């Protein structure tokens, strides 16, 4: 693993995304490595649960790596969303063992989506959540439009998606996006205390809980497909090129509706 650090706490695998200089942004390597790490959670009998977190005190994950966007057109954008959403984030969501997000700072864009793909979330008091893709002329592509709506409801999801605004940890708690907010130094202990409790329960019953709760949302899978298609199409717009260029050049974008 180049960009993930893996460690064990009893039977819990701690997966730390380790790119703090880029606020743990999800580049292709991180996505590939997350996929491998989650496969291990599925297959390794020694692992009973997993916690995903980010390295450093500032960010969980500040989104997909915007520097990789310049090379993408509609086809590439669609492929990126399909791969991340279907091969990695869905795999996390359907993992038969609990996968908990320990959100230690910014969880933006793909970072918020990663946290939402986990079975539930514990946050530090400095955590901030948002889907700022509209600032880049895009929409979420890793399931964010669907899971945000499932977790916080339509009106709040619509507002967060359309404004691109961030919410802080107390608001995330109030919205039901996270289960706990704790001081940053207590974050991992809190997450591990919950996984430790779950690790004592019957593994097949835990897998059954995950499968049954996920089944509530199985009926409407079209939303994920719609998200992938729109995410891809937007990469052929001038505004998406302008959005990514503006971020990397550290300036405000000028959108033209083209
Ligand atoms: N992709 C690529 N690089 C990113 C990134 C991302 N999503 N988020 C942060 N970075 C990089 C920055 O470019 C910067 O790199 P540099 O030091 O080489 O210039 C470094 O991480 C630190 O980020 P910076 O923006 O300087 O930190 P900040 O404290 O001023 O702002 C954020 C923090 C999270 C508000 C800001 O980084 C941000 O808005 N990130 C993008 C969020 C986003 O749009 N995510 C959705 C992507 S689809």
């Amino acid at each position: 693993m180049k960009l993930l650090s893996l460690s064990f706490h009893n039977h819990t695998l701690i997966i730390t995304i380790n790119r703090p200089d880029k606020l743990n942004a999800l580049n292709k390597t991180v996505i590939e490595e997350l996929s491998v790490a989650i496969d291990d959670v599925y297959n390794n009998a020694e692992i009973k649960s997993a916690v995903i977190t980010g390295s450093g005190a500032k960010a969980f994950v500040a989104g997909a790596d915007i520097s990789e966007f310049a090379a993408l057109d509609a086809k590439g954008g669609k492929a990126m969303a399909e791969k991340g959403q279907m091969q990695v984030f869905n795999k996390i969501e359907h993992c038969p063992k609990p996968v908990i997000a320990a959100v230690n700072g910014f969880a933006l864009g793909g970072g918020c989506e990663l946290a939402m793909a986990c079975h539930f979330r514990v946050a530090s008091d400095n955590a901030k959540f948002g889907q700022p893709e509209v600032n880049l002329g895009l929409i979420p592509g890793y399931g964010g439009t669907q899971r945000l709506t499932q977790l916080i409801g339509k009106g709040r999801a619509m507002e967060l998606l359309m404004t691109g605004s961030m919410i802080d940890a107390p608001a995330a708690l109030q919205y039901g996006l996270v289960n706990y907010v704790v001081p940053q130094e207590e974050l991992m202990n809190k997450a591990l205390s919950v996984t430790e409790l779950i690790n004592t329960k019957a593994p097949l019953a835990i897998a059954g809980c995950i499968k049954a709760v996920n089944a509530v949302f199985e009926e409407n899978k079209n939303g994920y497909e719609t998200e992938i298609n729109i995410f891809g199409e937007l990469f052929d717009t001038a505004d998406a090129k302008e959005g990514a260029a503006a971020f990397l050049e550290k300036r405000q974008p000028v959108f033209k509706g083209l």
Side-chain angles (χ1 to χ4, degrees):
M1 295 279 177
K2 287 186 188 142
L3 297 175
L4 296 190
S5 311
L6 303 179
S7 62
F8 271 101
H9 177 85
N10 298 330
H11 288 280
T12 300
L13 179 69
I14 303 172
I15 303 170
T16 305
I17 301 168
N18 198 4
R19 253 194 119 194
D21 53 323
K22 295 290 177 190
L23 305 188
N24 304 318
L26 301 173
N27 65 6
K28 281 186 194 149
T29 307
V30 176
I31 289 288
E32 296 283 348
E33 292 186 355
L34 265 178
S35 180
V36 173
I38 296 300
D39 283 342
D40 203 31
V41 180
Y42 272 71
N43 299 324
N44 184 338
E46 290 299 307
I47 300 175
K48 291 189 173 176
S49 57
V51 173
I52 302 180
T53 194
S55 77
K58 190 168 170 185
F60 172 70
V61 166
D65 190 326
I66 298 167
S67 68
E68 291 181 345
F69 285 5
L72 296 177
D73 58 7
K75 201 172 154 208
K78 186 175 177 190
M80 175 192 161
E82 273 173 348
K83 173 153 195 184
Q85 203 195 93
M86 293 160 81
Q87 292 177 25
V88 186
F89 287 45
N90 287 1
K91 189 157 67 183
I92 294 171
E93 182 169 55
H94 293 288
C95 183
K97 301 171 187 175
V99 184
I100 314 307
V103 180
N104 56 310
F106 288 113
L108 302 176
C112 189
E113 292 172 292
L114 175 62
M116 293 192 295
C118 293
H119 296 129
F120 56 88
R121 291 140 290 284
V122 179
S124 59
D125 46 11
N126 67 326
K128 288 208 161 54
F129 296 81
Q131 296 290 158
E133 286 85 354
V134 286
N135 298 329
L136 303 167
L138 295 170
I139 67 166
Y142 288 159
T145 62
Q146 307 303 295
R147 294 193 182 101
L148 190 64
T149 310
Q150 291 166 9
L151 284 163
I152 69 171
K154 184 173 176 181
R156 283 167 167 166
M158 284 284 193
E159 184 181 350
L160 277 187
L161 290 164
M162 290 195 279
T163 60
S165 300
M166 293 183 217
I167 54 170
D168 61 14
L173 186 64
Q174 196 208 338
Y175 280 19
L177 189 55
V178 302
N179 293 15
Y180 303 95
V181 175
V182 296
Q184 191 166 48
E185 56 279 11
E186 290 169 26
L187 178 66
M188 197 46 75
N189 277 348
K190 181 69 200 177
L192 290 172
S193 75
V194 184
T195 57
E196 286 281 283
L197 178 61
I198 298 172
N199 289 350
T200 66
K201 312 293 179 189
L204 294 178
I206 297 301
C209 292
I210 294 169
K211 199 168 178 182
V213 173
N214 282 338
V216 174
F217 305 103
E218 295 284 278
E219 250 176 48
N220 186 7
K221 283 189 169 169
N222 289 345
Y224 289 96
E225 205 179 310
T226 304
E227 182 187 281
I228 287 175
N229 287 331
I230 297 172
F231 182 79
E233 284 160 17
L234 286 169
F235 274 92
D236 269 356
T237 65
D239 280 351
K241 305 277 171 245
E242 164 65 7
F247 176 78
L248 296 171
E249 291 160 19
K250 300 185 189 294
R251 62 172 173 80
Q252 287 300 312
V254 181
F255 292 132
K256 297 192 168 138
L258 298 169

